[in-house]
Amino acid sequence: MDNTKNNTYRLKDDGTLAWLFFHTARRLQKYGKSGYSQQRILSILEEEGPISQKKLQEMLAVQPGSLSEICGKLEEKGMIERSRDEKDRRSVILKITEKGRRMKKGINVRKDNAIFSSLNEQERDQLRNLLNKIESQNYEQESVDYTENCGKEAAG
């Protein structure tokens, strides 16, 4: 295999689960990038209910202009509604529409079917359970230096 395809270097499989998990996650991330911002906004609005555009901007840590552009596209597609806050007319309230809910659910189903098409339902359930177990693990630190004490572990 040409390891410099597309000007990116891909490390060879070192046999660890961490390597496999990392590279699988990167592939999934690349697949999901298309429309990710829009989908994320729809997800937040579905979970949080109507919220101000300012609060959504803070949650996403994006520039106001960028968020306005994305929200404009979603509004044009009929997936969200924007209205003025009755308490503060300067504030814009965002709300997901029923069409937005259906579209978000459909996107998720299509992504699952495309990404996990090589797995049957039982394998998907097993993977879901294993990933939930890993995700719910109580990590003591956000960042760990795995090079610390490497010589001792290799020798022992």
Side-chain angles (χ1 to χ4, degrees):
M1 175 174 113
D2 179 12
N3 219 10
T4 57
K5 188 176 180 182
N6 298 330
N7 295 328
T8 59
Y9 185 82
R10 183 171 185 246
L11 294 172
K12 292 181 178 78
D13 184 348
D14 64 7
T16 64
L17 284 173
W19 181 93
L20 183 59
F21 190 80
F22 174 77
H23 285 282
T24 302
R26 286 196 49 177
R27 287 186 69 200
L28 296 176
Q29 182 183 31
K30 286 179 184 177
Y31 181 86
K33 276 193 177 181
S34 176
Y36 176 73
S37 296
Q38 292 182 12
Q39 186 177 354
R40 190 165 178 216
I41 289 169
L42 292 175
S43 295
I44 291 171
L45 293 177
E46 186 174 49
E47 289 175 14
E48 297 289 320
I51 59 172
S52 73
Q53 190 163 326
K54 175 96 172 130
K55 181 177 179 185
L56 182 62
Q57 175 203 337
E58 291 168 359
M59 292 170 80
L60 295 171
V62 296
Q63 295 296 316
S66 300
L67 183 60
S68 290
E69 185 178 339
I70 296 168
C71 288
K73 291 176 183 177
L74 288 170
E75 187 177 34
E76 285 174 18
K77 294 176 185 176
M79 293 190 211
I80 67 167
E81 294 174 348
R82 289 196 272 194
S83 60
R84 292 281 172 198
D85 185 344
E86 293 181 16
K87 296 175 188 165
D88 180 0
R89 302 296 295 162
R90 297 171 297 172
S91 182
V92 175
I93 301 297
L94 303 172
K95 177 183 169 186
I96 190 170
T97 64
E98 194 53 44
K99 181 179 180 181
R101 289 181 207 286
R102 285 191 314 269
M103 183 62 75
K104 182 191 157 297
K105 184 176 183 179
I107 290 168
N108 288 341
V109 168
R110 285 191 302 276
K111 277 185 178 182
D112 268 7
N113 289 336
I115 293 170
F116 302 107
S117 63
S118 63
L119 303 177
N120 63 38
E121 280 304 312
Q122 182 181 1
E123 291 168 328
R124 288 182 190 201
D125 287 341
Q126 286 176 318
L127 178 60
R128 183 177 291 108
N129 290 335
L130 291 170
L131 291 174
N132 278 326
K133 187 175 182 178
I134 292 168
E135 206 283 320
S136 65
Q137 181 178 341
N138 184 13
Y139 294 99
E140 292 179 21
Q141 300 174 348
E142 282 294 312
S143 179
V144 177
D145 181 0
Y146 293 105
T147 61
E148 200 172 301
N149 299 323
C150 279
K152 293 176 187 174
E153 289 176 5

